Each structure stands twice: as structure tokens, then as C-alpha cells.
Amino acid sequence: MTTVASRTLQAVLVDMDGTLVDTEDFWWEAESTLLAELGHPIGVQEREVVVGGPMTRVVDHLLAVSGAPLTPERLGELINERFVELIGQGVPVRPGAKSLLVDLAAHGVPVALVSASHRRIIDQVLLTLGAHFFAFTVAGDELARTKPHPDPYLLAAARLGADPARCVVIEDAPTGVRSGQAAGCHVLAVPSVAVIEPGPRTTVRASLEGVDTALLRALLADD
């Protein structure tokens, strides 16, 4: 039997790239231009494959399709360095993202930022987003296993003392959606590049515009 307590929204666990900030174009530019400069260009069809990280999966795929003579570690370093250069002047915030963060703060709902990006990337983007909106952040290079494994979201829920089933994960990419689903959370997907289909405990919206605390609470009430 579903009770009022079981429908309570305890926390929101939100992805960063492509979800709160419009950085997917920057990631693709960093990846594609680097390989082109090395004489190993890749086609635009690879973009949907690599969107959402994590970096280990991204570099393995890019090396396999391009044949570039680099180690995965070195390609990852170069991509991160190029990305930091590209976002040095700030990043555009996705429509509805800032208003959602403000509304969650006003209602006292704790929020954790859970990203497959490395710590240095997160810290740079927080200069635009505002670190004060988040109880803490989880970076992809601080975990043994990141998305699509459930570990990042399970860790975030545990640190907040929240039941994953009473958390809403907000994601833009299939990799992150699978991570949130595997953690047992309800997932709100706002696709940025790849198509995401609705499913059990997975709701899809075109953007975060109009998404607020009441809507996220209603997602759990409908479970």
C-alpha cells in the first residue's frame, strides 16, 4: 500500500552537463576538434554515442572509431583541458534550471549535484550555477564506478540520509537515466541530444521550464 510518507520527496539528485547547463556542444567541440587536429576526424553520428559520459567510456569509444594513437588516459586529459578552455568564460544555463533550483531551496528540499564530469570541471561550472544551491557535489573521477552504474546516485542519497525511492533524479542522457533507474529513484528526463523514452518511474519532458517542487512531488505521488 502506498502511504503519504512513501510519496514524500526527500531529495533531488541532479545531473549537470546538458541538464542544468548547456555544455554538450562544448564537450562535442572538444572531442571532435582534438581528433581532427590529430588527423583522425570522427563523424557527427558519434555524438549521440558519447553524450553523457563517463569519460572512460567516451575515450574508449573515440579511440576505437578514430584509431588515434593515444592512450585512453592521454585523450581524456586532452579533452578535459580543451573543455575547460571552452567554458572559461562561463556556460549557458538550461531553460528552467535556475528557477527550479531557487524553488527547491525555497521549499527546503535538499539537492545534490551528481555528475560524470571530473571535479575540476564541476568546480568551474559551479561558478556559473552557484554552489550554494547544492548540499554537495559528486564527481565522476571520485568514484570507482560512475554512470550508468547506480553508485553515484546511491552515494548521493546515502549522504543525504534519503531513501532512493523517495528521490527524484533529473537527467538528460540515457547513460544517466539508466544510473538513476538502477539506483531505484524516479527519473525525470529532459533529453539534450539522444532520444529518451518514458517508462516505469521515468518521466520525460522537453525541458525544465515549468518544472518545480510541486511537480517533482507529484511524480512520487503517481508511483
Side-chain angles (χ1 to χ4, degrees), residues 9-14 153 164-170 185-188 216-217 219-220:
L9 177 64
Q10 290 189 340
V12 173
L13 316 175
V14 61
Y153 286 116
R166 292 162 68 180
C167 297
V168 173
V169 162
I170 305 179
C185 305
H186 193 111
V187 179
L188 175 64
L216 298 182
R217 285 173 172 160
L219 295 182
L220 296 187

Side-chain angles (χ1 to χ4, degrees), residues 63-83:
L63 290 173
V65 298
S66 70
L70 294 172
T71 64
E73 293 75 19
R74 183 55 180 156
L75 180 57
E77 291 172 359
L78 291 173
I79 290 173
N80 274 313
E81 289 171 4
R82 179 67 58 88
F83 181 79

Side-chain angles (χ1 to χ4, degrees), residues 120-141:
R120 63 184 293 206
I121 302 296
I122 292 176
D123 289 345
Q124 180 71 30
V125 173
L126 284 177
L127 298 176
T128 296
L129 275 178
H132 61 283
F133 285 117
F134 309 101
F136 56 84
T137 61
V138 177
D141 58 335

Side-chain angles (χ1 to χ4, degrees), residues 7-222:
R7 298 194 302 263
T8 302
L9 177 64
Q10 290 189 340
V12 173
L13 316 175
V14 61
D15 174 57
M16 186 179 74
D17 294 294
T19 301
L20 293 179
V21 288
D22 197 3
T23 51
E24 297 300 357
D25 286 346
F26 292 107
W27 279 116
W28 176 247
E29 182 178 350
E31 294 153 358
S32 60
T33 58
L34 270 171
L35 289 169
E37 290 167 9
L38 291 167
H40 295 268
I42 53 174
V44 70
Q45 70 275 7
E46 306 304 336
R47 182 176 183 181
E48 189 167 321
V49 180
V50 299
V51 66
M55 185 59 72
T56 52
R57 180 179 67 83
V58 169
V59 296
D60 285 346
H61 178 78
L62 293 177
L63 290 173
V65 298
S66 70
L70 294 172
T71 64
E73 293 75 19
R74 183 55 180 156
L75 180 57
E77 291 172 359
L78 291 173
I79 290 173
N80 274 313
E81 289 171 4
R82 179 67 58 88
F83 181 79
V84 169
E85 292 174 6
L86 293 172
I87 66 171
Q89 301 303 312
V91 292
V93 178
R94 295 271 285 176
K98 208 61 171 281
S99 61
L100 172 58
L101 293 174
V102 169
D103 190 64
L104 289 167
H107 285 85
V109 178
V111 181
L113 182 67
V114 183
S115 178
S117 288
H118 290 189
R119 170 57 56 195
R120 63 184 293 206
I121 302 296
I122 292 176
D123 289 345
Q124 180 71 30
V125 173
L126 284 177
L127 298 176
T128 296
L129 275 178
H132 61 283
F133 285 117
F134 309 101
F136 56 84
T137 61
V138 177
D141 58 335
E142 296 171 347
L143 296 171
R145 299 195 312 174
T146 187
K147 306 171 187 180
H149 298 288
D151 306 33
Y153 286 116
L154 289 175
L155 173 64
R159 286 185 62 182
L160 290 170
D163 178 355
R166 292 162 68 180
C167 297
V168 173
V169 162
I170 305 179
E171 276 280 357
D172 76 300
T175 300
V177 169
R178 290 196 298 272
S179 178
Q181 290 170 334
C185 305
H186 193 111
V187 179
L188 175 64
V190 284
S192 61
V193 176
V195 174
I196 300 172
E197 298 294 338
R201 308 203 80 219
T202 302
T203 303
V204 179
R205 287 180 63 99
S207 80
L208 289 177
E209 290 186 296
V211 176
D212 57 13
T213 305
L215 185 146
L216 298 182
R217 285 173 172 160
L219 295 182
L220 296 187
D222 291 340

